[in-house]
Amino acid sequence: MEISKLYTLFKDKSFGEILFDEPMKNHTSFKIGGPADIMVIPNTEREVIESIKFCRDNHIKYFIMGNGTNLLVKDTGIRGVVIKIANGFDNIEIDGNKVICQSGTLISVIAKEALRQSLAGFEFASGIPGTIGGAITMNAGAYGGEMKDIVTKVRVLDKNNNVVELTNGEMNFRYRGSTVIDQELVVLGVELELEEGEYSQIEEKMKDLTHRRVSKQPLDLPSGGSTFKRPTGFYAGKLIDDAGLRGIRYGDAQISEKHCGFMVNRGEATFDEVFTLIKTVQKIVYDKFNIMLEPEIKIIGDD
């Protein structure tokens, strides 16, 4: 669809905040990415649903994102509409040991609220960047815990614009995957079940995991988190290190010297620099160990 027609269609719509020709580098933790033709930032469930339905009804290409913590966007940007479900769509309610939250809620915010309520079981996730919607979609995990361990219900929009509630068993949680991906669903809300605990113990565990994360990961530089998925029986970071690639750099894209599982932006890295380095690492690791590393970051954009 022509950009001028797209702009006209969205100019007076009440889907929340609407941005035109919006640089994606302002919305990704990698700080990389050209402009999206249109970005919609909904604040209510109605706005989320209506904006998606409008795109579907008008055959407009759209992409759903959260806080952009695992995205690598092409420098040419994204044609069509990006619907950002993040800040603004982030209400939290506590009901006993249940935490009910909208999908745009930051994981760090949920962790703080769980601590405040002395609810245990979410500590493993406290340092994971991004939103709970993205975490559910990918079954995010860390330090021995995964989202599948604490999710009881997930409220989603299906491909027929129906709002459906799925149980944990219906979510088909697995390593970095779920029914959300399989059926192209959109996460609207989540119910988590935690356990009553001791405030001091929960706080201490969160501090310990935070220290471990900060001491081992390059959190001081822009990145997309873990660059590659964990191959069965191996660790991507160790394979990259063993291949002699620690600190290897192409332009401003670099394999972190602190943690080889992370690729970082040293300043003004472009998509092409990061993508070239990804391909280089894949080839060298495959040639040495006969293991093909699969990207964990999501690569999107249009030429």
Side-chain angles (χ1 to χ4, degrees):
M1 182 178 291
E2 293 182 3
I3 292 180
S4 58
K5 184 177 180 182
L6 200 57
Y7 286 177
T8 301
L9 283 171
F10 277 84
K11 186 174 64 173
D12 299 316
K13 291 298 176 186
S14 56
F15 296 146
E17 186 178 6
I18 299 179
L19 306 172
F20 298 90
D21 204 30
E22 178 66 11
M24 287 298 295
K25 68 180 181 180
N26 295 340
H27 299 272
T28 65
S29 59
F30 239 137
K31 304 301 180 188
I32 294 171
D37 289 343
I38 291 177
M39 175 174 283
V40 176
I41 307 177
N43 294 306
T44 67
E45 185 172 293
R46 183 197 66 80
E47 290 174 349
V48 174
I49 295 170
E50 288 300 318
S51 60
I52 294 171
K53 187 174 184 299
F54 183 80
C55 288
R56 289 171 174 174
D57 289 346
N58 288 277
H59 308 289
I60 299 169
K61 190 173 70 135
Y62 67 94
F63 175 75
I64 305 291
M65 70 173 288
N67 212 39
T69 53
N70 71 330
L71 296 181
L72 175 59
V73 182
K74 293 184 178 182
D75 296 319
T76 45
I78 301 174
R79 306 290 70 80
V81 178
V82 173
I83 300 172
K84 182 178 180 178
I85 303 176
N87 52 309
F89 191 63
D90 55 1
N91 185 62
I92 303 178
E93 295 179 12
I94 305 293
D95 182 10
N97 65 337
K98 301 282 181 68
V99 180
I100 302 100
C101 48
Q102 292 176 318
S103 58
T105 311
L106 288 173
I107 296 169
S108 58
V109 172
I110 298 172
K112 289 174 184 175
E113 184 62 20
L115 172 62
R116 196 172 73 85
Q117 300 287 338
S118 297
L119 293 175
F122 200 75
E123 296 93 328
F124 76 90
S126 59
I128 296 176
T131 63
I132 190 66
I136 296 300
T137 300
M138 298 297 294
N139 185 31
Y143 301 112
E146 295 177 289
M147 286 296 150
K148 71 178 180 64
D149 302 329
I150 55 175
V151 170
T152 51
K153 297 176 187 175
V154 181
R155 184 177 172 86
V156 299
L157 181 72
D158 69 16
K159 289 195 289 186
N160 297 314
N161 299 319
N162 298 312
V163 176
V164 181
E165 204 168 71
L166 302 177
T167 64
N168 184 299
E170 293 171 317
M171 283 296 294
N172 189 25
F173 283 123
R174 57 193 183 276
Y175 177 69
R176 301 303 178 263
S178 71
T179 296
V180 175
I181 296 174
D182 303 338
Q183 297 183 19
E184 299 177 32
L185 306 173
V186 179
V187 180
L188 299 172
V190 181
E191 180 184 275
L192 311 172
E193 185 172 357
L194 304 179
E195 301 174 356
E196 293 183 8
E198 292 291 332
Y199 184 98
S200 59
Q201 292 179 5
I202 298 168
E203 183 181 40
E204 187 59 36
K205 186 171 182 180
M206 286 175 61
K207 284 181 177 178
D208 175 56
L209 295 181
T210 297
H211 173 73
R212 289 163 65 180
R213 187 181 295 273
V214 170
S215 64
K216 294 179 180 179
Q217 297 180 5
L219 303 182
D220 57 324
L221 292 169
S223 80
S226 296
T227 308
F228 300 101
K229 293 181 181 179
R230 186 178 68 239
T232 303
F234 299 90
Y235 290 97
K238 187 174 190 309
L239 290 169
I240 294 168
D241 196 14
D242 290 346
L245 299 175
R246 180 181 293 271
I248 185 176
R249 182 167 176 170
Y250 183 76
D252 270 354
Q254 183 183 39
I255 291 295
S256 170
E257 296 180 85
K258 193 172 187 180
H259 190 313
C260 292
F262 287 70
M263 196 169 291
V264 296
N265 180 353
R266 297 293 311 187
E268 298 294 331
T270 65
F271 168 85
D272 286 339
E273 288 172 351
V274 174
F275 189 68
T276 298
L277 193 52
I278 287 173
K279 291 297 182 184
T280 300
V281 169
Q282 285 178 313
K283 183 180 187 308
I284 293 174
V285 169
Y286 184 79
D287 288 346
K288 285 184 177 289
F289 305 112
N290 199 35
I291 296 171
M292 178 54 71
L293 294 177
E294 181 183 350
E296 182 167 321
I297 56 174
K298 188 175 181 65
I299 299 170
I300 60 170
D302 298 281
D303 297 324

